[in-house]
Amino acid sequence: MSTFVTTSHGADFFGEDRHLITSLASLADYARSCLAADERDQLVQLLTAPATAEVGTEQTIPAADAGRLATQLRRVARNRYLRSKRLAASAALLADAAARAAADGEPWHWRTEATA
């Protein structure tokens, strides 16, 4: 069974993106190392929370926070030590979705799901 997070304001036809929870946890590790200590806490918490959340758990990030998180996610995606193109692509997709939510003035939604 694969567990993933579906985010709103994504790039697919339905306006959603799906990210494996294991990928999000790996991104959190990179965020810890490439962002300053005083700015990374919310992003790291957002990326690690789905690992312990039950399937069906939803999280809503206000538009103002989504804008700030988009900037941080872009920095993680562009970090020279992030060698995995797959993780860099996930970080870039998350940053784009967060930026769209912020630009629209809408909250950014995350939902934990699983497949058989």
Side-chain angles (χ1 to χ4, degrees):
M1 179 166 80
S2 296
T3 310
F4 57 93
V5 168
T6 301
T7 62
S8 67
H9 297 85
D12 77 354
F13 178 77
F14 300 105
E16 296 180 335
D17 285 328
R18 287 178 176 73
H19 304 275
L20 287 172
I21 287 180
T22 54
S23 295
L24 296 177
S26 295
L27 280 175
D29 292 338
Y30 282 101
R32 282 186 191 99
S33 64
C34 72
L35 298 175
D38 61 340
E39 66 179 351
R40 68 178 171 222
D41 290 339
Q42 185 181 13
L43 178 60
V44 169
Q45 181 181 3
L46 179 66
L47 294 172
T48 57
T52 58
E54 292 183 25
V55 172
T57 301
E58 294 190 24
Q59 187 171 4
T60 301
I61 296 94
D65 290 343
R68 189 169 18 78
L69 291 168
T71 302
Q72 293 172 353
L73 283 160
R74 283 194 183 102
R75 286 177 44 207
V76 171
R78 295 176 181 150
N79 187 285
R80 66 182 178 169
Y81 297 111
L82 181 56
R83 302 270 186 223
S84 169
K85 292 182 189 282
R86 182 181 52 82
L87 288 178
S90 289
L93 284 171
L94 286 166
D96 291 346
R100 277 191 288 276
D104 292 346
E106 298 175 353
W108 189 29
H109 300 282
W110 285 44
R111 183 178 61 250
T112 306
E113 298 180 357
T115 59

